Amino acid sequence: MKPAAAGPSVAPGLAACLTDLPGVGPAIASRLGKLGIQRPGDLLFLLPQRYEDRTRLTPMRRLRFGQRAQVEGEIVSSEVLLRRRRSLLVTIMDDSGSLTLRFFHFGGSQQAALSPGRRLRCYGEARPGPAGLEMVHPEYRVLPPSEEVPLALSLTPVYPVVEGLAQGRLRKLVDTVLDAALRAVPDWLPQPQLRKLSLPSLASALETIHRPPPDADIAALLAGVHPAQRRLALEELLAHHLSLRRLRELGRREMAPVLDGDGPLIERFVAGLGFALTGDQQRALSDIVADIGRPTPMLRLLQGDVGCGKTVVAAIAALHAVAAGRQAAVMAPTELLAEQHRENFRRWLEPLGIGVAWLSGALRGRARSSTLAAIGEGEAKVVVGTHALFQEGVEYHDLALVVVDEQHRFGVHQRLKLLEKAGRTGLRAHQLVMTATPIPRTLAMTMYADLDVSVIRELPPGRQPVKTVAIPEERRSEIVERVREACRAGSQAYWVCPLIEDSEHLPSQAAESTAEMLSTALPGIRTGLIHGRMPTDERDRTMKAFAAGDIRLLVATTVIEVGVDVPAASLMIIENAERLGLSQLHQLRGRVGRGASASTCVLIYRAPLSHLARERLDVLRRTGDGFIVAQRDLELRGPGEVLGTRQTGLTQLRVADLLRDADLLPAVQRLAGELLQGPGSQVDDLIERWVGAQARYGEV
Ligand code: ADP
Ligand code: MG
C-alpha cells in the first residue's frame, strides 16, 4: 500500500495543520507523515486497504484456514502454557464447534477477564494450530452476560497502519475529517461524464468507501468493483494518464542529437545477418529512424512477442548512433539477459570494427575503471550491461541512444533517470524501450501515454508454433517419460515450479523437491536447479551450463520467465498452471520454440478445474499469439485478481487495478481530452492529488 499523496487544497475550509486535529500532537503528526499525510484533508484519500465483515458471525465449524472471520462463543478453558514461549491459550465454543485463541503478550487483568464462562466475540484470521484451527491475537470483546450486543451494520474499513498509530485511532481521525471536510472536497471531474458512467460524485464515493452504509453491496465492495471504488479508480487512472502526458510535453521541449545516420554501415550490417528483416521489423525500424532523425528525444516502446526479433532492430538503432559518431547504451534487467545481448552485439558488430563494452555490477577493479574511462572518453561506442550502466560514477561522453530491454522490469521513473544521464552535452538521449509483454491497445494508450508505440506481430519465418497441452497432475509420470524421450532425442527441457502464494512451502522448496524427484526418476539425465534464493553467480553458472547443453533438464522457479534464449530446449513443463496469469504462462512458453525443432509446452494442473480456469488454459492451447492471449487475459480475469505491476512496468496504483478496471480506460482518455482543453489547474491538481511526489520527481 502506497501512502496517500499530499495534495493541495484537498479540502479547503479544513484546518491546515495536522496538529489542529483533536488529539494529534507532533508525535502522531510525524507518524501520519509516514503514511504520506501532511494535512488533515489528505486523510480523505487514505483509502482502506480492505474491509472486515463484522456484520455476521461465522460458526466455528465452518472456519477455513486463512479466513478472516468473526466468531462468538463461551470460554471453556483458559490456561497459561510455559513451553518455548509463554502463551495464554483460551478455548471458546459455539453450537458448531470450538476454536483456540492464542496470546503471546498478555497482562494479568487480561488473563483474569478471559476466564471460563465468559462470552467472547472475536475477529481474526484462522490458522492451523497444533490442535485444529486457532486465532493468534484476535481482536476481541467480552460480552455482557445477558444483554444482546448488536453486530456491525456495515463493513469495517481497515487502513494501512504504521508503528505507533493503531487502527482504531486512524479510523477516528478519518471520521473527524470526513465530518468536517467531506462536502468541501473539490470534485474536478465533469458531472455529465460521471452520470453517463453511472458513477457517483467524489464526496459520495469517499463517504461510501470510508463508511459503507448498511445497505451497500458488500460483495462489490470486497471485490473492489463498487461504483464508489470505480469512481476513485477512474480518477486515479486519469491522474496517471495526465501526468504521463505532461511528461511527454516536457520531453518535447528537450533537444536531442539528430541521428540521420549513414547508409553503408547499416547496409553492411544487414547484409551480414544471414536473414532478411520481417516486414514488421522494417516498419518498426522506420518509425525509429524517423524519430531519431529529429532533434527531439525519441520515446518509443517497441512491443513484440518473445522471439519476434526486437534485438536486431535495437542493434540497427544503435548503429545509427555509432554512425553519427556518438554512443549507444543497451540495458537489460538481469545479468544473464545482459550477457546474451553482449554476445549478440559482439557477434554482429565486431566484424564491422565496432567494439562492444560491458558494464555490470559484478565488474570490479581495473576492468571496471578502464571500462568507465572508455565510456567517459567516448571510445566505447556501444555499451551493454545491467542497470549498472546508469549508476553514480558512470559518465558518458555523448550518449545519443538508450535501449532498455524488457522494460516491465523497470519503472517509469527509472526511465526518467536515464534521461538525466545524457545531460553533459545539454542534449537528451533518444530512448527505445522494448517489451515482450503484449499490452492491449487501450491500456498502452492510457498508461504509456508518454511513449510512442511500434508493434512487431510477425515472427521470423520458419518458426514452428509451440504445441500446448494441459494435463492433470495425476499423470505426472507420463510427463516424466516425455522428458526422458526428449532428452534422449538430444533435446532439452525446462520444468517450472512457480511461486504459489498461499502454499506453506517456499517456491524454492517446491523447485528443490521437484528437482530431487526428477533426478531420481531420470538417472543419466543431467538435471540443474535454479531459483531466486540462490546466489546470482551460482544461478548464472547453472544457466550457462544449460545453454551449453551440459545440463539437459532445468528445474526452475519463474526466474527464467524473461528473455532467456536456449534454442535447443524444446519442452516446457509448467506446474500449477491453473494458478498463473495467462500472460505469465505465455512468457514462460516463449522459452521454447526458438530453435528448428517442434516444441511442446505441457501445462500441469490440479483437478478439478473451475470453469474459468479451464477457459484460461484453453486460450493457451488454442493460440500462440501474445496479443490475443493478453486480450483474453483482460477479459477473463475475475474481479479481485491483480495484474502484478511487474508485468506492466506501471507505477503502483492505490485503488485502480488495471485489469479489473480496464473497461474504464476509454473514459479515461475522453476525460483527459476534455480536461486538457480546460484551464490547466485542474490537471495539475489531479496529478498532485494522486501522483504527487512521483510526478514532481519526473520534473527534476
Ligand atoms: P526477442 O524479440 O524476443 O528479443 P530476439 O531478438 O532474441 O527476440 O530474436 C530471436 C531470434 O530470432 C534470434 O536468434 C534472432 O537472431 C532471430 N531473428 C531475428 N529476426 C529474424 C529474422 N527476420 N529472420 C530470422 N531470424 C531472425
Ligand atoms: Mg529479447
Side-chain angles (χ1 to χ4, degrees):
M1 180 80 196
K2 254 229 314 294
S9 61
V10 192
L14 192 71
C17 278
L18 283 174
T19 46
D20 294 342
L21 291 171
V24 177
I28 299 279
S30 94
R31 284 172 202 148
L32 285 168
K34 289 197 184 130
L35 290 169
I37 294 176
Q38 312 294 337
R39 277 160 288 196
D42 297 341
L43 279 160
L44 291 176
F45 291 90
L46 178 74
L47 302 172
Q49 279 175 304
R50 57 187 172 83
Y51 292 95
E52 286 174 355
D53 186 356
R54 302 186 190 207
T55 63
R56 59 203 171 94
L57 297 172
T58 302
M60 292 175 196
R61 177 183 285 283
R62 297 248 308 274
L63 280 176
R64 292 286 165 263
F65 158 50
Q67 185 187 6
R68 293 175 163 277
Q70 181 168 252
V71 295
E72 192 173 303
E74 189 180 314
I75 300 181
V76 291
S77 75
S78 173
E79 53 172 335
V80 174
L81 242 68
L82 297 168
R83 300 258 167 81
R84 256 179 305 169
R85 227 174 134 191
R86 205 172 86 97
S87 58
L88 171 63
L89 287 191
V90 176
T91 307
I92 57 171
M93 242 175 119
D94 67 6
D95 296 342
S96 75
S98 67
L99 177 72
T100 305
L101 313 178
R102 187 184 291 272
F103 300 88
F104 294 109
H105 314 282
F106 55 95
S109 60
Q110 190 180 12
Q111 190 185 338
L114 293 171
S115 59
R118 294 266 169 84
R119 291 190 65 74
L120 283 189
R121 184 177 290 171
C122 316
Y123 187 94
E125 185 180 340
R127 306 208 135 266
L133 288 180
E134 58 180 44
M135 285 183 181
V136 178
H137 282 277
E139 282 183 55
Y140 70 91
R141 63 194 278 196
V142 179
L143 301 175
S146 50
E147 226 174 294
E148 278 291 308
V149 179
L151 292 167
L153 286 175
S154 59
L155 293 180
T156 311
V158 180
Y159 295 98
V161 289
V162 289
E163 215 178 294
L165 194 57
Q167 193 58 239
R169 186 64 175 275
L170 217 42
R171 257 179 223 144
K172 272 205 200 94
L173 281 173
V174 172
D175 245 15
T176 309
V177 175
L178 273 174
D179 285 336
L182 190 58
R183 297 298 141 203
V185 64
D187 197 339
W188 293 306
L189 302 198
Q191 295 305 311
Q193 287 276 11
L194 289 176
R195 267 196 302 276
K196 246 186 265 165
L197 293 162
S198 313
L199 293 178
S201 70
L202 179 61
S204 137
L206 285 170
E207 181 161 37
T208 306
I209 283 171
H210 288 296
R211 294 174 180 159
D215 61 349
D217 181 343
I218 288 183
L221 272 172
L222 291 174
V225 296
H226 191 283
Q229 290 159 317
R230 284 168 57 79
R231 165 64 174 78
L232 293 191
L234 174 71
E235 189 169 316
E236 182 176 36
L237 290 170
L238 176 63
H240 277 273
H241 177 67
L242 289 168
S243 84
L244 292 172
R245 291 187 49 171
R246 276 276 147 89
L247 274 181
R248 172 106 241 206
E249 278 167 38
L250 285 173
R252 288 212 176 96
R253 285 185 228 142
E254 302 282 348
M255 297 293 284
V258 172
L259 308 176
D260 48 2
D262 89 57
L265 187 61
I266 306 219
E267 274 162 30
R268 271 170 56 212
F269 173 80
V270 175
L273 274 178
F275 53 75
L277 296 182
T278 62
D280 278 355
Q281 282 173 318
Q282 278 167 15
R283 269 183 290 279
L285 198 55
S286 51
D287 290 344
I288 294 166
V289 170
D291 285 352
I292 61 183
R294 282 191 287 263
T296 42
M298 166 174 78
L299 266 176
R300 185 168 288 279
L301 178 69
L302 178 57
Q303 210 185 336
D305 215 344
V306 286
C308 73
K310 295 182 291 293
T311 321
V312 190
V313 174
I316 298 176
L319 276 180
H320 276 87
V322 177
R326 294 174 185 270
Q327 293 173 295
V330 181
M331 175 167 80
T334 66
E335 188 108 352
L336 185 71
L337 291 178
E339 275 179 31
Q340 264 175 30
H341 282 319
R342 181 189 63 195
E343 295 318 307
N344 279 326
F345 275 71
R346 286 199 171 146
R347 187 159 48 83
W348 287 330
L349 302 187
E350 278 173 358
L352 303 176
I354 301 165
V356 175
W358 165 252
L359 190 60
S360 85
L363 196 67
R364 296 272 153 76
R366 285 262 281 287
R368 182 179 168 82
S369 44
S370 73
T371 301
L372 290 185
I375 293 173
E377 284 150 23
E379 193 189 303
K381 289 298 178 202
V382 177
V383 191
V384 178
T386 58
H387 57 272
L389 287 176
F390 295 97
Q391 268 161 2
E392 243 9 83
V394 187
E395 293 289 342
Y396 289 83
H397 184 68
D398 50 8
L399 186 60
L401 173 74
V402 178
V403 177
V404 185
D405 192 18
E406 301 300 351
Q407 95 98 32
H408 67 278
R409 293 284 172 110
F410 304 101
V412 170
H413 302 288
Q414 263 167 307
R415 217 151 74 207
L416 299 166
K417 216 164 174 170
L418 299 190
L419 277 178
E420 291 162 30
K421 269 290 174 185
R424 209 157 71 174
T425 49
L427 297 175
R428 295 275 181 177
H430 296 286
Q431 266 191 82
L432 178 65
V433 296
M434 307 198 288
T435 180
T437 308
I439 303 152
R441 195 177 145 72
T442 40
L443 190 57
M445 277 168 64
T446 317
M447 299 317 270
Y448 284 118
D450 57 332
L451 300 174
D452 294 309
V453 180
S454 298
V455 178
I456 301 181
R457 289 199 70 145
E458 202 179 344
L459 290 181
R463 289 281 165 81
Q464 304 206 37
V466 178
K467 182 166 183 252
T468 302
V469 292
I471 292 181
E473 62 182 2
E474 291 75 51
R475 288 167 55 196
R476 187 174 272 123
S477 57
E478 284 171 40
I479 305 167
V480 174
E481 267 326 294
R482 257 180 129 126
V483 173
R484 191 198 310 276
E485 277 160 32
C487 291
R488 223 181 248 153
S491 184
Q492 286 170 273
Y494 295 96
W495 193 299
V496 179
C497 308
L499 186 150
I500 299 302
E501 262 170 23
D502 53 48
S503 123
E504 297 125 72
H505 300 289
L506 291 168
S508 48
Q509 285 170 353
E512 268 161 20
S513 56
T514 304
E516 226 161 83
M517 177 278 281
L518 287 169
S519 39
T520 313
L522 300 168
I525 292 178
R526 257 197 87 189
T527 304
L529 167 69
I530 55 170
H531 56 70
R533 303 179 111 223
M534 62 180 33
T536 323
D537 53 342
E538 190 181 336
R539 208 159 81 196
D540 281 355
R541 247 195 329 268
T542 306
M543 202 57 226
K544 272 183 204 150
F546 184 65
D550 295 337
I551 289 175
R552 310 303 298 178
L553 170 61
L554 185 66
V555 181
T557 53
T558 48
V559 292
I560 55 149
E561 180 185 333
V562 161
V564 174
D565 191 21
V566 180
S570 68
L571 185 55
M572 165 63 70
I573 321 274
I574 307 173
E575 298 251 17
N576 295 99
E578 81 281 6
R579 312 274 286 269
L580 289 179
L582 280 186
S583 296
Q584 201 179 9
L585 287 169
H586 180 72
Q587 287 283 332
L588 286 168
R589 175 170 66 176
R591 298 305 109 225
V592 295
R594 305 173 80 85
S597 59
S599 298
T600 306
C601 174
V602 180
L603 306 172
I604 306 184
Y605 64 87
R606 174 167 297 178
L609 281 180
S610 70
H611 177 70
L612 187 65
R614 178 169 302 279
E615 217 169 311
R616 287 153 50 84
L617 294 186
D618 275 350
V619 171
L620 288 169
R621 285 184 11 206
R622 281 196 306 264
T623 183
D625 183 329
F627 283 85
I628 297 177
V629 171
Q631 191 58 47
R632 294 292 287 151
D633 200 11
L634 265 185
E635 294 159 8
L636 287 177
R637 287 253 179 159
E641 283 184 77
V642 186
L643 171 73
T645 49
R646 200 171 61 76
Q647 280 188 40
T648 54
L650 300 174
T651 19
Q652 189 85 45
L653 297 166
R654 273 193 272 159
V655 256
D657 173 330
L658 285 171
L659 283 175
R660 187 189 61 210
D661 303 319
D663 63 312
L664 291 172
L665 295 175
V668 168
Q669 302 243 7
R670 275 200 309 278
L671 285 167
E674 221 170 281
L675 286 173
L676 285 169
Q677 287 185 357
S681 66
Q682 295 189 342
V683 173
D684 295 333
D685 289 342
L686 276 170
I687 294 175
E688 185 69 30
R689 178 185 278 168
W690 290 99
V691 192
Q694 293 174 38
R696 283 194 297 277
Y697 173 66
E699 289 167 23
V700 293

